[in-house]
């Protein structure tokens, strides 16, 4: 407010200029969520979107009441909300990916119409296998219990003992073993339909 003319003008119109980038961020986030569901990273981006939107609306509606201290305070409250409970980042992300996996396994023929689980005998398209493999990778990075009901009928897939914040060597082969038990070939994140035969999965 006491700086140069350019700084005062920038400060005055900054939050109006944020409206378009926030709309673009909202569209981009919605697109990813509708395609691939919630993950912790997308949850954090959503928190930031809410944070910036609230600050923008507040500074436009009541500029005299706005204060720099509201910026970290609002972010701290939002991330505290996202750290715990059923609407927290981990819980919401896990439920979202479990729901996606259930729908995809139905499409692949692993989960039948009556709810029974068996090895698929159908030819599963590459994109469908890719999506299922990505979710299994995600779940075996600390959330394996959430998909146990689909894995248990085919035998134990434990790897080595669980250790907090780490993964042992055997863990990396578990997604491939689970996909094989379901009757599908595992697809890594780096594979494409054209290069699938060039990769060897363990």
């Amino acid at each position: 407010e006491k700086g140069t003319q350019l700084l005062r003008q920038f400060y005055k119109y900054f939050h109006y200029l944020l409206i378009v980038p926030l709309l673009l961020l909202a569209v981009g986030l919605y697109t990813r969520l509708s395609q691939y569901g919630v993950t912790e990273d997308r949850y954090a981006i959503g928190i930031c979107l809410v944070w910036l939107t609230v600050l923008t609306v507040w500074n436009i509606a009541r500029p005299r009441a706005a204060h720099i201290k509201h910026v970290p305070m609002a972010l701290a409250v939002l991330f505290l909300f996202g750290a715990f409970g059923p609407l927290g980042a981990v819980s919401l992300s896990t439920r979202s990916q479990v729901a996606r996996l259930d729908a995809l396994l139905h499409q692949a023929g692993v989960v039948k119409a009556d709810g029974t689980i068996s090895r698929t005998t159908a030819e599963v398209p590459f994109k469908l296998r890719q999506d299922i493999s990505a979710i299994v990778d995600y779940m075996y990075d600390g959330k394996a219990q959430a998909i146990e009901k689909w894995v248990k009928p085919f035998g134990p897939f434990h790897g080595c003992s669980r250790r907090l914040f780490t993964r042992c060597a055997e863990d990396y082969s578990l997604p491939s073993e689970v996909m094989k038990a379901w009757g599908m070939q595992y697809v890594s994140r780096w594979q494409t339909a054209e290069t699938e035969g060039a990769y060897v999965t363990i």
Side-chain angles (χ1 to χ4, degrees), residues 47 51-52 55 59 66-80:
I47 288 285
W51 173 56
L52 291 171
L55 290 176
N59 278 271
H67 193 280
I68 191 66
K69 67 182 179 182
H70 296 147
V71 176
M73 288 172 59
L75 186 61
V77 169
L78 287 170
F79 271 110
L80 186 63

Side-chain angles (χ1 to χ4, degrees), residues 140-171:
Y140 266 103
D141 197 7
K143 305 178 180 70
Q145 290 183 343
I147 63 171
E148 187 177 1
K149 66 179 180 179
W150 293 302
V151 176
K152 196 172 181 179
F154 300 95
F157 297 91
H158 299 307
C160 60
S161 59
R162 294 279 120 191
R163 295 176 295 176
L164 192 61
F165 302 125
T166 62
R167 294 182 72 182
C168 57
E170 287 83 350
D171 285 344

Side-chain angles (χ1 to χ4, degrees), residues 30-176:
Y30 172 78
T31 301
R32 297 299 286 182
L33 291 176
S34 62
Q35 291 176 332
Y36 303 110
V38 182
T39 62
E40 288 87 349
D41 290 343
R42 293 174 197 137
Y43 188 99
I45 294 172
I47 288 285
C48 291
L49 175 62
V50 172
W51 173 56
L52 291 171
T53 302
V54 169
L55 290 176
T56 298
V57 172
W58 179 258
N59 278 271
I60 291 176
R62 302 188 63 186
R64 294 186 179 278
H67 193 280
I68 191 66
K69 67 182 179 182
H70 296 147
V71 176
M73 288 172 59
L75 186 61
V77 169
L78 287 170
F79 271 110
L80 186 63
F81 170 81
F84 307 100
L87 295 180
V90 175
S91 298
L92 192 61
S93 298
T94 301
R95 290 200 306 275
S96 174
Q97 295 304 316
V98 165
R100 284 191 66 230
L101 182 60
D102 182 51
L104 294 174
L105 289 178
H106 273 86
Q107 292 181 38
V110 175
V111 180
K112 311 302 180 186
D114 60 359
T116 57
I117 301 169
S118 62
R119 180 184 175 91
T120 183
T121 57
E123 182 67 28
V124 182
F126 175 85
K127 183 63 171 65
L128 183 54
R129 287 187 289 115
Q130 186 180 47
D131 289 343
I132 294 173
S133 298
I135 297 175
V136 175
D137 272 332
Y138 172 81
M139 288 299 178
Y140 266 103
D141 197 7
K143 305 178 180 70
Q145 290 183 343
I147 63 171
E148 187 177 1
K149 66 179 180 179
W150 293 302
V151 176
K152 196 172 181 179
F154 300 95
F157 297 91
H158 299 307
C160 60
S161 59
R162 294 279 120 191
R163 295 176 295 176
L164 192 61
F165 302 125
T166 62
R167 294 182 72 182
C168 57
E170 287 83 350
D171 285 344
Y172 290 95
S173 66
L174 291 176
S176 178

Side-chain angles (χ1 to χ4, degrees), residues 1-11:
E1 294 175 347
K2 297 180 181 179
T4 64
Q5 179 67 21
L6 178 62
L7 181 59
R8 291 198 301 271
Q9 291 301 312
F10 179 80
Y11 182 78

